[in-house]
Amino acid sequence: MTRSTRQIKLGAFLMQTGHHIAAWRHPEAQADAPVNFRHYAELARRAEAAKFDAIFLADSVGVRNTDLASLSRTARSDHFEPLTLLSALAAVTEKIGLIATVSTTYNEPYHVARKFASLDHISGGRSGWNLVTSSGQGEAQNFNLDEHVEHARRYARAAEFHDVVLGLWDSWEDDAFLRDKPSGQYFDPAKLHPLHHRGEHFSVRGPLNVSRSPQGRPVVVQAGASPAGRDLAARTAEVIFVAHQTFDEAQAFYRDIKGRAVAYGRDPDDIKIMPGIFPVIGRTQAEAEDKFARLQDLIHPVVGVQLLSNMIGGFDLSGYPVDGPLPDLPETNGGKSRQQLLIDLARRDNLTIRQLYLRIAGARGHQQVVGTPQSVADQLQQWFEQDGADGFNIMSPWLPGGLDDFIELALPELRRRGLFRSEYEGATLRQHLGLARPPHRAVAAAQAAVAEAEAASA
């Protein structure tokens, strides 16, 4: 393959004990990882030493699996609140980006704006917000609701939520805070911009009680792939995390999002598309396949069926023959794009329920690569150079060993091909990703008005 002039962006997606559903049972896994800060600190340091763009923490505001027989056999029931954890990790790292999921469905814009702006200051400009809408019924029941909010309404709320948060992040101009002791002037009142937002879902006066952050604003990440999710991402996102099964799917999504971005008046390069990749790497193909087989052997059937039930939108498959086909499913009010991805996979490859849960037990619908450093690099290079991705979210099978394998085996091959950095080019997440620091909107509007007036009088 030819040498690329661009370079791949990489996120280290840290899922407690690892992304495989049975990862916590791996002999080398840190079984108490969900509540072990030293585990996360060491992973963050390793990812930073390897020059990853960011670490990423997913989240939900509830225990998604309510089947105790399955729940009691998985390491998904306890984990840190991500912003608390990232704030602590900011103190033990210097340059790596810090991205966390926070849902727009069961939070308020002011809280989210304040927390991420604070993290951006604490970290020196390294924070990113993964904007999602919640997908689980169990989350709703933790917030005074019997039923989950309807899909279309979740996305309408998310769109307005995003606009409010961005408005709050521009409450203060960059140089608003003088803190001048001799004059007694703490801030310049002319550089304060209360939001005064009143919309369908939110009424927020502002201003935010955190100054404008080092990046101008934290990086906005989005993860939806349904039609509503794609449209929201094309308008709002700077990074998109997404799941694909095939290169054709990746290429079609990439082109669709970049085209939608142009329709919104955006530069397509201002959105970085980063599919999740689940790599199992060995020095030989046989070694890689053996590593994967050992993980697969650790899956309890009850866990596998419940995992699939959750991922297809909460439809209970426990009453169906495990070696029979996936039944026809009703449309979900949960994650629509993930449900469709799994239905398509089952129908395309004629998979039974057992075969399907075995197929997704590691990557959970993302692309799975089991191979040598060269074959893994080949796939990443193809997707990157042929309009399928700008980078990848690396979903380590188990932790810490799976991340170590990628760093020690795959990264040298990517660097040999000129596809990944050897040193950071900057200090902020925006600089790592090649994203511009956004100007303050009120300042930019005033400058545009002056320029227009000058052009009219010329």
Side-chain angles (χ1 to χ4, degrees):
M1 292 187 176
T2 60
R3 182 175 292 270
S4 174
T5 56
R6 296 159 53 233
Q7 290 198 321
I8 289 172
K9 308 302 178 185
L10 289 179
F13 187 167
L14 304 183
M15 177 71 81
Q16 295 115 34
T17 56
H19 280 268
H20 194 281
I21 194 64
W24 74 274
R25 299 182 65 193
H26 191 285
E28 299 172 11
Q30 184 75 40
D32 68 346
V35 289
N36 186 324
F37 174 70
R38 283 179 291 182
H39 166 76
Y40 281 103
E42 182 57 31
L43 292 175
R45 291 189 188 104
R46 293 184 194 188
E48 182 170 69
K51 314 306 178 189
F52 274 72
D53 292 79
I55 58 175
F56 167 54
L57 302 176
D59 190 45
S60 65
V61 285
V63 176
R64 293 184 178 181
N65 183 355
T66 57
D67 178 78
L68 286 180
S70 171
L71 181 63
S72 64
R73 294 179 176 274
T74 64
R76 298 283 194 264
S77 55
D78 64 334
H79 56 88
F80 288 125
E81 189 283 316
L83 278 172
T84 306
L85 176 55
L86 288 183
S87 294
L89 293 177
V92 297
T93 57
E94 295 181 354
K95 291 192 174 182
I96 196 165
L98 306 167
I99 302 174
T101 293
V102 174
S103 170
T104 60
T105 309
Y106 301 118
N107 283 287
E108 290 293 318
Y110 197 95
H111 288 138
V112 171
R114 188 183 188 206
K115 290 174 181 177
F116 277 101
S118 297
L119 178 60
D120 212 49
H121 279 286
I122 290 168
S123 65
R126 296 187 280 140
S127 75
W129 169 35
N130 182 36
L131 184 164
V132 303
T133 66
S134 290
S135 60
Q137 176 72 12
E139 294 177 271
Q141 293 168 346
N142 289 333
F143 292 87
N144 305 308
L145 296 175
D146 294 324
E147 296 295 330
H148 192 34
V149 180
E150 189 268 330
H151 186 272
R153 184 167 178 79
R154 293 203 306 271
Y155 272 94
R157 175 185 168 96
E160 186 178 338
F161 194 114
H162 165 270
D163 294 346
V164 173
V165 169
L166 259 64
L168 288 169
W169 281 337
D170 273 349
S171 293
W172 307 89
E173 295 180 25
D174 287 311
D175 56 352
F177 285 89
L178 306 173
R179 300 185 180 95
D180 184 66
K181 292 182 179 181
S183 69
Q185 192 77 46
Y186 194 76
F187 70 84
D188 183 347
K191 297 184 178 183
L192 167 63
H193 301 272
L195 185 59
H196 298 301
H197 174 88
R198 189 173 295 275
E200 178 184 357
H201 301 276
F202 304 106
S203 177
V204 181
R205 184 180 71 90
L208 192 67
N209 58 351
V210 182
S211 61
R212 197 160 194 256
S213 71
Q215 294 187 103
R217 61 172 182 259
V219 173
V220 176
V221 184
Q222 225 265 321
S226 66
R230 291 185 187 211
D231 202 58
L232 179 63
R235 184 175 73 84
T236 67
E238 295 170 292
V239 176
I240 299 177
F241 293 156
V242 66
H244 298 307
Q245 280 292 302
T246 68
F247 172 63
D248 288 344
E249 291 172 5
Q251 201 173 51
F253 180 87
Y254 188 94
R255 290 172 177 170
D256 178 51
I257 291 294
K258 300 287 183 169
R260 290 180 191 234
V262 172
Y264 277 113
R266 300 182 66 190
D267 183 332
D269 199 44
D270 288 343
I271 303 178
K272 308 299 180 184
I273 297 175
M274 298 176 64
I277 297 289
F278 176 89
V280 184
I281 308 172
R283 289 174 174 80
T284 65
Q285 185 66 32
E287 181 184 331
E289 291 174 359
D290 181 63
K291 287 181 179 181
F292 185 57
R294 280 186 284 164
L295 279 168
Q296 294 289 82
D297 288 344
L298 297 174
I299 303 170
H300 192 285
V302 169
V303 173
V305 171
Q306 187 62 39
L307 169 69
L308 183 56
S309 297
N310 290 341
M311 291 195 61
I312 60 172
F315 186 84
D316 185 8
L317 295 170
S318 61
Y320 291 83
V322 72
D323 291 312
L326 185 71
D328 292 334
L329 301 173
E331 185 177 10
T332 180
N333 188 36
K336 293 183 183 294
S337 61
R338 188 58 56 88
Q339 183 194 57
Q340 192 60 52
L341 183 151
L342 294 177
I343 292 173
D344 291 346
L345 174 60
R347 302 292 184 248
R348 183 179 66 241
D349 293 353
N350 195 30
L351 301 178
T352 65
I353 288 174
R354 187 193 306 274
Q355 289 169 332
L356 185 56
Y357 81 59
L358 286 171
R359 184 75 69 88
I360 67 166
R364 296 192 309 286
H366 296 82
Q367 178 68 3
Q368 180 172 287
V369 192
V370 181
T372 64
Q374 293 75 26
S375 65
V376 171
D378 285 346
Q379 176 160 327
L380 299 188
Q381 184 169 5
Q382 180 195 13
W383 285 38
F384 176 64
E385 293 187 338
Q386 296 180 28
D387 293 339
D390 296 305
F392 302 92
N393 233 355
I394 303 304
M395 304 168 63
S396 299
W398 78 96
L399 290 168
L403 181 62
D404 289 341
D405 281 351
F406 188 85
I407 292 171
E408 294 168 11
L409 299 176
L411 277 189
E413 181 63 22
L414 291 174
R415 289 190 173 114
R416 186 184 68 78
R417 303 180 188 197
L419 289 167
F420 190 66
R421 68 167 67 88
S422 296
E423 294 295 337
Y424 287 114
E425 301 85 5
T428 71
L429 178 55
R430 288 187 176 279
Q431 290 170 337
H432 301 339
L433 295 171
L435 298 171
R437 186 181 190 276
H440 189 282
R441 290 187 293 182
V443 173
Q447 291 172 342
V450 169
E452 184 178 349
E454 290 175 347
S457 62

